[in-house]
Amino acid sequence: MYEKLIPDMIVESVHKIDLNLLKKKGITSLVLDIDNTLLPKKAKFLDEDTVEWLERAKNEGFKICLVSNNTKKRVNELKEKTGIPGIAWAIKPRKGAFKKALKLLGAKPHETALIGDQIFTDILGGKRVGLYTILVKPLSDEELAWTKIMRRAEKIILKRIEGYEN
Ligand SMILES: [Mg+2]
């Protein structure tokens, strides 16, 4: 269980992900969390840098799917803006939505990287289906109480992981 909580890579933000390194690892597909990974939870619009990053990843040949525990409305807004398909009400860390995403991407787990800001939903869920997992720092701290509790537990774990500065 414990090892399923440790991400394969930890970065400051999506912008710091070395896409070439992912390619070298045989990764061709990306499963992306939305809230606090691509934009702050309360923000409605992606910033230009992130839109560009998504475009660059697409141009580099990566297939991309959004997987969010948020509503269909939220996922559709991003889909309209970026053209990237998404799955809402994912109930991460349950495996269903990730499996759905792999099917949609036509990708195998070992060819796919999960990118998200939370250990107990994104990383754990991704690991459970065998994805390469990348943890990013959350973009905002405005969270529901439940998430705050989860964060506390995450911090305890992160303290044990070398190289993570909070
Ligand atoms: Mg998130």
Side-chain angles (χ1 to χ4, degrees), residues 75-129:
V75 173
N76 280 340
E77 278 167 3
L78 260 79
K79 187 181 171 185
E80 272 169 37
K81 175 94 182 165
T82 62
I84 296 170
I87 294 160
W89 300 116
I91 332 176
K92 294 176 279 187
R94 285 172 69 173
K95 294 186 264 186
F98 292 110
K99 286 184 178 170
K100 229 179 185 177
L102 288 173
K103 208 168 181 185
L104 201 140
L105 292 161
K108 300 239 157 48
H110 70 272
E111 303 167 326
T112 307
L114 172 283
I115 304 167
D117 69 297
Q118 287 188 54
I119 283 179
F120 288 96
T121 55
D122 301 311
I123 303 304
L124 178 58
K127 286 252 171 180
R128 291 179 75 201
V129 293

Side-chain angles (χ1 to χ4, degrees), residues 52-97:
E52 263 173 43
W53 181 82
L54 288 166
E55 275 306 306
R56 198 170 78 234
K58 275 196 265 182
N59 291 338
E60 298 249 354
F62 288 97
K63 292 177 284 178
I64 308 175
C65 182
L66 308 168
V67 172
S68 174
N69 281 355
N70 209 327
T71 61
K72 212 161 191 159
K73 183 171 176 277
R74 177 72 158 165
V75 173
N76 280 340
E77 278 167 3
L78 260 79
K79 187 181 171 185
E80 272 169 37
K81 175 94 182 165
T82 62
I84 296 170
I87 294 160
W89 300 116
I91 332 176
K92 294 176 279 187
R94 285 172 69 173
K95 294 186 264 186

Side-chain angles (χ1 to χ4, degrees), residues 33 35-37 117-118 122:
D33 171 51
D35 292 311
N36 285 340
T37 295
D117 69 297
Q118 287 188 54
D122 301 311

